[in-house]
Amino acid sequence: MLRLPEFEYAAPTTVAEATRLLHERGTKAMLLAGGTDLIPNLKRRQFRPELVVALHKVEALRGIQERSGRLVIGPLATLAEVAAHPAIRSQYPALANAAAMIGTPQLRNQGTLGGNLFLNTRCSFYNQLEEWRNSDGSCLKAEGGKCQVAPGGKRCWAVSSSDTAPVLAALGAELRLVRHDDERMVPVAALYRDDGINYLAVQPGEMLTEVLLPVAGTWDRTAFLKLRRRGTFDFPILNVAGAVKFGAGNVVERISVMLGAVGSTPMAIDAQKLFAGKPLDNAAATAALQTQAGKRATPLPNTDASHVWRKRMVRVYTARILKELAT
Amino acid sequence: MAPKTEYAVIGGTETKVDGLEKVTGRTRYADDLSFPNMLYGRFLRSPHAHARIKNIDVSKAAAMPGVHCILTGKDFPIPFGPLPISEDEHVLAIDKAIYVGEPVVAIAASDEATADAACRAVVVDYEELESYMTLEEALAQKGEAIHPDHRGGNVHKEVPLEIGDVEQGFAEAEYLREDVFYYEGNTHMPIEEHACIGVPEGIDKVTLYSSTQNPHYGHRLLGKVLGLSPSRIRVVATPVGGGFGGKCDTFSHEFSACRMALLTGRPVKFTLTREEVFYTHRGRHPVLMWSKIGFKRNGKITAMYFKSFLDGGACGSLGVASTYYTGALQPCSYKIPHYKFEGVRLFTNKPVCGPKRGHGTPQPRTVMETQLDKTAVDLGIDPATLRLINAVEPYSKTVNHFRITSCGLKECIEKVVEASDFRNKWGKLPHGKGIGFAASVYMSGAGVPQYWNNGPHSEVTVKVGRFGEVQCLTGSTDIGQGSMMVHASIVAEVLGLHTRDIMVLNGDTATTPIDLGSYSSRVTFMSGNAALQAARRMRDQIAGVVAESFGVTADRIEFREYKVFNADNPEQSMDWPDACALTESKLGAQSSSGNYTPPDLAGPYKGGTVGPSPAYTFTALAVQVDVDPETGMIKIEKVWCAHDIGFPINHTLVIGQVEGGIYMGLSEALLEEMVYRKNRLKAPSLLDYKTITVAEMPEIETHLICTNDPEGPFGAKEAGQGPLLPAIPALLNAVYDAVGVRIDEVPCSPDKVLFAMEEKAEGGAGRYGPKAFLEHKMTSKPVRAPRPAEWENGNEGRMS
Amino acid sequence: MKHMALTLRVNGQDRQILVSPSKTLLEVLREDLNLTGTKHGCELGECGACTVLVSGKPLLACLVPVAQIDGAEITTIEALGGPSNPDPLQVEWARLGAAQCGYCTPGFVMSAKALLDGNPNPTRDEIKEAISGNLCRCTGYHKIVEAIENVAQQQQVSKVINAVTIASRQTTAVEVRD
């Protein structure tokens, strides 16, 4: 049976206590929320933390509530809770759908929204047991060595595989990040960096305490599409999220489209410039958006399915998200 | 619906005898067992595909607290294999490692973590050798052969066979086609990871509890490799949490657990991790195939020439049989007047391929059935009719000399055509929707054992006790197919009891008589016949005693509803326990035995022993799909299947086997593949090795065709493997019907469909698949055999 | 590493254990508490064989460090019913042959149990969704879906019908057809 490595364990009850532990132990400490990402990664020895800081006793990180017209989601809200929440389903169906399509029912009962936003980037050379990785020189992201996907280059191409990140980025949601001695708000899109190893733009010792959705009515429609080969279990091999606000005459006033799982970071496609003042079914704008998306996406052979096909699917799914937003 | 019968138990839908224990979590699988003082074994495995082992330094590991036993290749000098003709396997690598994941060092320690840590402390000095990861590389063999002592180098086995005169057959043809096809390898993926425990008994004996399909063959090989008298070894097959052929061979962990138990005097458990299960493999061979087939314009087949290249992985396993099987059953579903087959199996530096559900026959079946579909389109004959024109007939000889007895192929085809409304759908559904058809044949048990012997293939003992308790002892193993229920049903039917009155004890080489194992769809037919004979003998013994007490002749005694009757005067009866007690008081302890040995059905040529079976099942199947023309993604909408079961011993079990087989076929058709990147398996995990889930599973409509086989127990034939076969080609044919492209490759992934559609849109053939077959000159002497006498004078095989 | 004293409430009983915090619930159930009805097929959250209920919700025991569920109510297959008093789900599961090799079965049954506890009248799609985190390699899933559907229907027809008679010689599931 695969087992966890030994680690010290702490279960703080407050954010202050948790951030203090992070501050004191630095990179040797890791946070445990639902564990659906961290536990398999630990079993595969992708990390070897000295201390695991379990967050389940921090009540302040739970729950979904309305505050000043905004929905505020605690990062420990499970994906099942996000998927089922009536206000999220009515105001931001794309988020509920994305959460509902992650993993399996058991994983959604266990996994959290915060965990999905911080989901470790994935790569079929990296998400392997230690012996497998080390049998041919390991990889940049694990023990170092060379990138097995693009051996010539210096960067890591592990894939951003979160389903909620593109949605929250498209919606313009914000995150509250707290450190032992300060805190800040960042837009979700600013959480990520295009680097498979250092994929999060967070400061040492920072933790997520709140996910703030935009005020109701910011968007008229939101949509989410996920490409995977099976209707369950699978991580995305491409996802697309979109949000639109219509102006008078049913033309686009504001639009936001994000691509996920075709690079190390969720990617914004500049739909606003192409669609502002035009109807969503504008053929020239659609074609231009498809071209742009196709250029941005960098699928490589480190996930399920052929990367050439995934690249082709970027165009198809870009057109489809517009249709979803229109209906 | 279960058929109406005159039987009390047979053909019914009773809950299987081990059903409740399984659904309540009470069944104890191998890893659920533990013994006092138990040690835990782990392997250090090779990180290299092909490398000389220059030195193994275990000193650090040996010094670790909690480490009790360390074994390396030199502790197991005797090579082995399930087939005596290819004994090329070692428990632990000796001199060189031949695939990534091959066990090199075995360590037993007080707990798993310590054993793992100790494995990491071992230092192995390797010198990498040229590795052969593809058919092309293996054939070119630029460096040392994988098995340097093997006569053919990396060519493990060649099978050249010609029956009749294919050139003449092709000359008579009015339509000829040649196709090249590649079928990727895949694996069994049982949900239970392999596990076993070696338990020392006394000072010089050992019991192996193991998740194995074939305890008898394991018993034989353990004796050979461990150098122990068989009387010192007992193999107990624990309930198997999924087999599908993957737990047929005897494995390194089984040999190691026994040896370590004997050395340490303590029980030693091995439980493989999921990744290790992938390396243990013995799964479906990747096969590159070429097939030429000739037809008359009216659709009659005139000749077939079939070539296969099997990528065998690093060892022989059952690969010689697999090679023959890629050529054995083509003439058994359709009448082929002239037949030529050339099969070649190569060694490659990959985990070992072997028998997976359908053993060597799904690959050629897929080629043949897609060829028939292409032919149907070209000749303007609908695919079902084309199959009916060529279908083999009951009581006939195939051109390769196999005896067909009961045969419901035509009924199966007609049933599926009717149920699916095939003729009104094929070629007529809107673009994107399609329906595909295929048919197939499979064996009810192999005609010869894996090692040569004259003993029965199945032996069953029935014991009856003083209180009327009945035990049925069989060496067969229940791998989920329901063999315990099959035995209980047969014995209960004969003795007029309920299945719950029968205690089935199985798969224990010390207490149950020999059965060759749960493979080759043999258990219902062979062990079922042995159980039937044993139960009848028991019935006769009891009937004799009871008849005497009733003052009638034994032939007037009937057994029904827990009673023994005088048929002519049902008032004169005796409760079952009283009849048992009476018999015991007159005759002593009551046991009876039954045996089954299949008739000698071998074809009169070298290799004519692979493929003959006492009975064949036939299946027809249609698949309806919805293909997304923008993505190539395939949604399976519905499957219709008709299977010639002979007669179902238990209707529920048979439907379960049919549905499970179709599921597995569809899963390999769409998704499953063992893909390597350089030397490493790409996806040794349940997340990344894709199988279809409940979300993809279509509705299945199953019809059973009852042909009452004359030699099967109660007319029964197999169900476990046959229904898998047509699912794969039927799906590919449905994709063609939906979007007009031919995917000559399995799995049929969406990228292949999309690329073929794009090629077609650009004016190409609309095909995805291999372009050419491999060039290879056979060194083995061609085997030529005459056609059976039944094929003379235009008789097409019918037996008089 | 330092061991922790924990109290787990398993199948209605408080169980005191002293374990390393890096042990998962799966290891504790199978190895410390000898509750081997909970199976394992991957230990990475990829098969569903180790599904148990934690506070009524199906979770994967292989992904839960046991320290994280100190005090929670854990239900395993052993609590659902034994061969002499099976749950209606178990009876129907066995009757339809929805357990072939039976290895994935405990995990599936726990997923199904959680579904019916929370939604006594699920649609076929809801049933499929509820078991979409469990892999089966034997059955092709049909009989599993059918078993759950039948039990839901039985319970809808009459809440009373869960009487299961195990006579010494015969098992009879009381059947109700709609």
Side-chain angles (χ1 to χ4, degrees):
Chain A
M1 196 190 285
L2 284 181
R3 294 169 203 271
L4 287 166
E6 293 285 334
F7 48 71
E8 277 178 69
Y9 176 85
T13 55
T14 63
V15 170
E17 220 182 312
T19 51
R20 182 181 55 78
L21 284 167
L22 289 183
H23 176 64
E24 285 170 7
R25 304 292 285 265
T27 55
K28 299 203 164 80
M30 293 188 82
L31 295 178
L32 170 68
T36 56
D37 184 32
L38 183 68
I39 299 298
N41 292 348
L42 292 181
K43 286 188 176 178
R44 290 187 287 249
R45 305 299 191 269
Q46 287 162 223
F47 302 110
R48 295 165 186 279
E50 282 177 6
L51 172 70
V52 166
V53 180
L55 296 175
H56 64 290
K57 290 187 176 168
V58 187
E59 283 301 325
L61 299 176
R62 296 186 179 281
I64 302 171
Q65 59 220 288
E66 205 186 300
R67 197 194 302 153
S68 323
R70 299 178 77 172
L71 276 176
V72 181
I73 307 175
L76 288 190
T78 65
L79 294 164
E81 287 164 358
V82 171
H85 196 272
I88 297 175
R89 285 166 67 105
S90 64
Q91 291 172 38
Y92 300 103
L95 178 60
N97 291 344
M101 279 193 245
I102 292 167
T104 67
Q106 294 95 316
L107 292 169
R108 293 192 291 275
N109 283 336
Q110 223 158 323
T112 64
L113 180 65
N116 193 250
L117 284 171
F118 278 61
L119 183 75
N120 193 12
T121 53
R122 299 183 61 82
C123 169
S124 56
F125 288 92
Y126 170 67
N127 297 102
Q128 301 281 358
L129 298 192
E130 193 179 14
E131 291 78 6
W132 191 101
R133 291 196 307 268
N134 288 329
S135 64
D136 194 16
S138 192
C139 81
L140 272 181
K141 187 170 162 77
E143 287 83 6
K146 63 173 190 289
C147 175
Q148 303 268 356
V149 190
K154 286 201 167 53
R155 64 160 290 182
C156 165
W157 291 95
V159 181
S160 168
S161 304
S162 168
D163 285 312
T164 56
V167 181
L168 288 170
L171 297 180
E174 291 180 294
L175 306 175
R176 186 182 304 279
L177 298 172
V178 176
R179 274 212 289 185
H180 75 287
D181 59 355
D182 68 351
E183 64 172 71
R184 61 179 177 132
M185 298 280 287
V186 296
V188 169
L191 182 67
Y192 303 102
R193 296 157 39 104
D194 188 12
D195 176 342
I197 296 172
N198 297 304
Y199 63 99
L200 292 172
V202 292
Q203 305 297 317
E206 247 177 358
M207 65 178 270
L208 173 66
T209 60
E210 281 179 353
V211 178
L212 296 92
L213 298 183
V215 291
T218 304
W219 303 105
D220 288 329
R221 288 184 184 285
T222 68
F224 175 77
L225 291 172
K226 173 172 180 170
L227 179 65
R228 55 177 168 174
R229 290 210 290 165
R230 304 182 294 181
T232 178
F233 281 102
D234 292 345
F235 283 97
I237 46 181
L238 161 70
N239 55 28
V240 193
V244 67
K245 179 80 180 167
F246 294 109
N250 219 21
V251 297
V252 172
E253 181 183 309
R254 275 181 299 112
I255 184 169
S256 169
V257 176
M258 294 289 298
L259 285 181
V262 281
S264 296
T265 177
M267 299 162 181
I269 309 300
D270 195 358
Q272 181 66 23
K273 211 187 308 179
L274 296 169
F275 280 93
K278 295 176 192 154
L280 259 184
D281 60 359
N282 184 289
T286 300
L289 193 74
Q290 285 179 294
T291 304
Q292 206 192 109
K295 277 188 186 152
R296 287 290 325 263
T298 50
L300 291 170
N302 58 349
T303 66
D304 180 43
S306 132
H307 65 291
V308 181
W309 177 72
R310 284 167 62 214
K311 181 105 177 161
R312 212 72 61 87
M313 290 304 101
V314 172
R315 294 178 61 88
V316 175
Y317 273 64
T318 303
R320 286 185 179 183
I321 199 76
L322 295 173
K323 283 207 186 97
E324 286 283 315
L325 286 171
T327 48
Chain B
M1 280 289 286
K4 286 220 184 329
T5 75
E6 75 250 41
Y7 303 122
V9 179
I10 299 298
T13 56
E14 262 180 57
T15 300
K16 67 177 177 177
V17 288
D18 49 342
L20 273 178
E21 118 187 10
K22 282 182 167 167
V23 298
T24 52
R26 300 309 196 270
T27 302
R28 304 273 267 174
Y29 300 87
D31 189 50
D32 300 337
L33 303 177
S34 55
F35 293 82
N37 226 12
M38 192 163 76
L39 299 174
Y40 295 83
R42 299 286 300 148
F43 290 118
L44 175 69
R45 292 174 181 267
S46 170
H48 302 298
H50 198 190
R52 185 134 11 253
I53 297 172
K54 304 185 78 170
N55 188 46
I56 301 177
D57 179 0
V58 300
S59 56
K60 278 207 189 95
M64 290 171 71
V67 171
H68 290 262
C69 187
I70 302 181
L71 301 177
T72 62
K74 65 176 168 27
D75 295 302
F76 296 99
I78 301 171
F80 67 96
L83 297 177
I85 41 170
S86 50
E87 295 184 324
D88 51 17
E89 206 171 324
H90 295 280
V91 175
L92 299 167
I94 299 181
D95 301 332
K96 66 175 185 173
I98 51 179
Y99 63 95
V100 172
E102 183 185 12
V104 177
V105 180
I107 298 184
S110 50
D111 58 78
E112 263 191 338
T114 304
D116 259 333
C119 284
R120 277 163 220 223
V122 173
V123 181
V124 185
D125 191 5
Y126 291 101
E127 177 194 333
E128 283 196 71
L129 300 169
E130 179 87 28
S131 63
Y132 310 105
M133 297 303 289
T134 62
L135 289 168
E136 291 79 0
E137 287 172 7
L139 205 53
Q141 198 186 311
K142 286 192 178 140
E144 181 175 308
I146 295 168
H147 296 281
D149 297 336
H150 182 70
R151 208 156 32 107
N154 286 343
V155 178
H156 173 217
K157 177 71 185 174
E158 294 179 339
V159 178
L161 172 69
E162 181 168 0
I163 297 170
D165 183 345
V166 285
E167 284 316 313
Q168 184 201 321
F170 288 138
E172 289 167 9
E174 292 161 342
Y175 170 87
L176 278 167
R177 65 170 309 119
E178 287 178 36
D179 289 277
V180 189
F181 197 103
Y182 182 66
Y183 198 112
E184 185 55 275
N186 56 53
T187 199
H188 320 83
M189 205 193 94
I191 307 296
E192 180 204 26
E193 298 148 322
H194 303 50
C196 73
I197 309 161
V199 180
E201 310 280 3
I203 53 164
D204 65 348
K205 299 189 186 72
V206 64
T207 299
L208 177 72
Y209 297 88
S210 185
S211 178
T212 178
Q213 296 179 239
N214 298 345
H216 171 68
Y217 290 136
H219 189 208
R220 172 180 166 267
L221 288 179
L222 283 163
K224 177 188 170 80
V225 172
L226 301 179
L228 286 180
S229 153
S231 59
R232 290 167 59 190
I233 303 166
R234 174 184 178 192
V235 182
V236 180
T238 52
V240 175
F244 318 111
K247 293 168 181 169
C248 281
D249 287 25
T250 311
F251 294 108
S252 297
H253 56 277
E254 295 173 301
F255 295 106
S256 299
C258 288
R259 170 61 59 78
M260 290 169 142
L262 287 167
L263 287 172
T264 62
R266 295 172 66 169
V268 178
K269 179 192 269 190
F270 276 80
T271 305
L272 302 190
T273 63
R274 177 52 58 183
E275 181 168 354
E276 291 180 301
V277 173
F278 278 95
Y279 296 141
T280 305
H281 193 40
R282 320 287 147 148
R284 182 91 69 230
H285 285 73
V287 189
L288 178 66
M289 289 161 284
W290 173 90
S291 177
K292 181 176 176 181
I293 185 162
F295 293 84
K296 289 288 192 190
R297 203 155 288 291
N298 64 9
K300 289 284 281 182
I301 297 171
T302 64
M304 184 180 208
Y305 181 9
F306 195 93
K307 296 197 267 190
S308 61
F309 255 104
L310 292 82
D311 178 345
C315 297
S317 179
L318 289 155
V320 169
S322 318
T323 311
Y324 280 109
Y325 278 133
T326 63
L329 297 190
Q330 286 90 323
C332 300
S333 53
Y334 307 113
K335 290 179 275 191
I336 300 175
H338 304 276
Y339 183 63
K340 185 172 179 181
F341 168 65
E342 288 168 9
V344 181
R345 186 178 191 262
L346 301 177
F347 289 122
T348 52
N349 291 114
K350 296 193 275 197
V352 183
C353 295
K356 183 188 168 194
R357 204 173 198 172
H359 194 183
T361 74
Q363 302 98 325
R365 177 59 48 190
T366 300
V367 176
M368 189 176 193
E369 295 294 323
T370 51
Q371 272 192 311
L372 284 172
D373 202 68
K374 296 167 187 174
T375 303
V377 172
D378 287 359
L379 294 184
I381 304 171
D382 85 74
T385 303
L386 183 64
R387 286 168 174 86
L388 284 170
I389 288 168
N390 291 290
V392 295
E393 306 201 20
Y395 302 95
S396 62
K397 270 268 177 80
T398 67
V399 78
N400 53 344
H401 297 264
F402 298 170
R403 182 197 72 166
I404 306 290
T405 54
S406 64
C407 167
L409 178 56
K410 286 183 181 172
E411 292 93 320
C412 287
I413 292 171
E414 279 157 1
K415 188 57 155 177
V416 170
V417 165
E418 175 204 321
S420 66
D421 198 16
F422 181 76
R423 292 198 177 98
N424 286 321
K425 287 180 178 168
W426 184 69
K428 295 169 186 150
L429 296 172
H431 184 68
K433 295 232 183 213
I435 190 166
F437 199 93
S440 66
V441 56
Y442 203 67
M443 313 179 305
S444 298
V448 296
Q450 290 178 9
Y451 70 97
W452 180 245
N453 71 87
N454 285 317
H457 288 214
S458 290
E459 301 167 349
V460 167
T461 301
V462 170
K463 287 169 41 178
V464 170
R466 186 168 297 176
F467 311 122
E469 72 273 25
V470 182
Q471 292 163 356
C472 174
L473 279 62
T474 164
S476 67
T477 55
D478 201 306
I479 62 172
Q481 85 282 42
S483 65
M484 298 210 350
M485 183 59 175
V486 166
H487 285 81
S489 300
I490 289 171
V491 174
E493 181 68 42
V494 173
L495 299 180
L497 305 175
H498 189 274
T499 54
R500 297 224 163 258
D501 301 322
I502 319 294
M503 178 185 279
V504 181
L505 299 169
N506 66 343
D508 179 343
T509 61
T511 62
T512 61
I514 284 174
D515 178 83
L516 295 180
S518 293
Y519 67 97
S520 178
S521 277
R522 53 178 300 287
V523 175
T524 293
F525 198 96
M526 297 194 181
S527 195
N529 265 322
L532 181 59
Q533 188 180 58
R536 283 179 173 161
R537 285 174 173 170
M538 177 57 71
R539 184 192 60 189
D540 292 348
Q541 282 165 215
I542 295 170
V545 171
V546 173
E548 199 183 325
S549 83
F550 286 176
V552 299
T553 53
D555 64 331
R556 304 316 304 150
I557 300 298
E558 280 185 10
F559 293 68
R560 253 185 299 128
E561 293 168 6
Y562 215 61
K563 279 191 163 51
V564 184
F565 291 88
N566 173 359
D568 303 319
N569 175 18
E571 297 285 292
Q572 195 174 23
S573 76
M574 198 180 276
D575 283 349
W576 165 255
D578 297 337
C580 296
L582 179 68
T583 308
E584 186 203 357
S585 70
K586 301 269 187 205
L587 303 176
Q590 284 302 293
S591 73
S592 64
S593 68
N595 306 298
Y596 180 80
T597 307
D600 181 5
L601 298 166
Y605 54 89
K606 187 174 179 239
T609 53
V610 184
S613 174
Y616 294 89
T617 63
F618 300 86
T619 316
L621 188 145
V623 177
Q624 188 168 313
V625 299
D626 183 350
V627 181
D628 183 336
E630 283 189 320
T631 64
M633 298 270 273
I634 300 162
K635 181 177 186 295
I636 307 172
E637 294 186 325
K638 187 161 179 180
V639 173
W640 297 265
C641 177
H643 180 66
D644 167 13
I645 184 63
F647 195 83
I649 298 289
N650 179 286
H651 189 263
T652 305
L653 291 182
V654 171
I655 297 295
Q657 287 304 300
V658 172
E659 290 182 354
I662 292 170
Y663 146 80
M664 198 167 264
L666 295 175
S667 188
E668 25 188 296
L670 279 185
L671 292 165
E672 296 186 31
E673 52 184 341
M674 290 274 276
V675 183
Y676 295 81
R677 281 193 302 210
K678 286 203 276 182
N679 296 337
R680 293 183 295 192
L681 186 58
K682 179 184 175 189
S685 73
L686 295 190
L687 176 62
D688 296 318
Y689 180 84
K690 306 291 183 196
T691 57
I692 63 179
T693 70
V694 68
E696 290 74 46
M697 212 37 216
E699 186 189 341
I700 298 176
E701 184 181 315
T702 301
H703 300 270
L704 297 184
I705 304 296
C706 294
T707 51
N708 290 303
D709 189 80
E711 295 175 24
F714 297 99
K717 300 193 282 187
E718 76 90 33
Q721 303 191 73
L724 173 146
L725 303 164
I728 302 143
L731 180 113
L732 297 177
N733 294 340
V735 168
Y736 175 79
D737 192 46
V739 291
V741 297
R742 292 291 179 186
I743 309 305
D744 288 339
E745 203 171 289
V746 166
C748 178
S749 50
D751 53 321
K752 296 173 186 172
V753 176
L754 190 71
F755 297 153
M757 288 176 70
E758 288 177 357
E759 189 208 38
K760 190 175 186 188
E762 289 157 13
R767 171 183 181 268
Y768 189 99
K771 300 276 183 285
F773 195 66
L774 280 176
E775 290 297 322
H776 173 66
K777 202 169 147 36
M778 286 263 186
T779 55
S780 305
K781 226 169 60 202
V783 174
R784 291 189 66 100
R787 304 197 299 174
E790 288 82 351
W791 274 84
E792 296 312 317
N793 307 319
N795 184 39
E796 297 191 328
R798 276 178 291 271
M799 294 193 287
S800 47
Chain C
M1 284 289 156
K2 212 170 68 192
H3 277 44
M4 303 174 71
L6 300 172
T7 302
L8 297 182
R9 194 161 174 79
V10 182
N11 300 336
Q13 287 188 318
D14 282 337
R15 309 288 295 256
Q16 266 85 31
I17 49 168
L18 190 64
V19 288
S20 156
S22 62
K23 270 214 180 182
T24 60
L25 178 59
L26 175 66
E27 293 164 88
V28 169
L29 288 174
R30 289 181 54 84
E31 295 170 359
D32 295 86
L33 304 179
N34 202 26
L35 292 168
T36 55
T38 301
K39 305 303 179 197
H40 59 95
C42 67
E43 302 97 74
L44 291 169
E46 301 173 351
C47 73
C50 67
T51 303
V52 296
L53 305 187
V54 176
S55 306
K57 285 193 183 132
L59 297 186
L60 299 172
C62 74
L63 295 187
V64 183
V66 71
Q68 214 185 353
I69 49 159
D70 194 359
E73 183 85 37
I74 296 151
T75 310
T76 71
I77 188 75
E78 283 87 353
L80 230 56
S84 59
N85 61 330
D87 187 274
L89 266 173
Q90 293 169 314
V91 174
E92 191 62 7
W93 214 282
R95 192 181 76 81
L96 292 183
Q100 287 188 20
C101 85
Y103 194 82
C104 69
T105 306
F108 265 100
V109 171
M110 297 317 285
S111 290
K113 179 71 181 164
L115 170 72
L116 295 189
D117 284 352
N119 178 6
N121 192 16
T123 64
R124 180 164 270 231
D125 282 345
E126 285 169 338
I127 292 171
K128 287 184 173 185
E129 162 68 25
I131 56 168
S132 66
N134 295 77
L135 290 179
C136 170
R137 202 61 171 145
C138 294
T139 63
Y141 299 98
H142 277 274
K143 296 302 170 201
I144 295 173
V145 173
E146 207 179 315
I148 301 169
E149 206 166 47
N150 288 355
V151 172
Q153 279 171 11
Q154 286 168 20
Q155 290 180 344
Q156 284 308 300
V157 173
S158 165
K159 309 272 184 208
V160 187
I161 295 171
N162 55 5
V164 174
T165 315
I166 306 265
S168 61
R169 295 188 41 243
Q170 195 144 4
T171 303
T172 314
V174 178
E175 279 181 58
V176 174
R177 302 247 175 248
D178 49 359

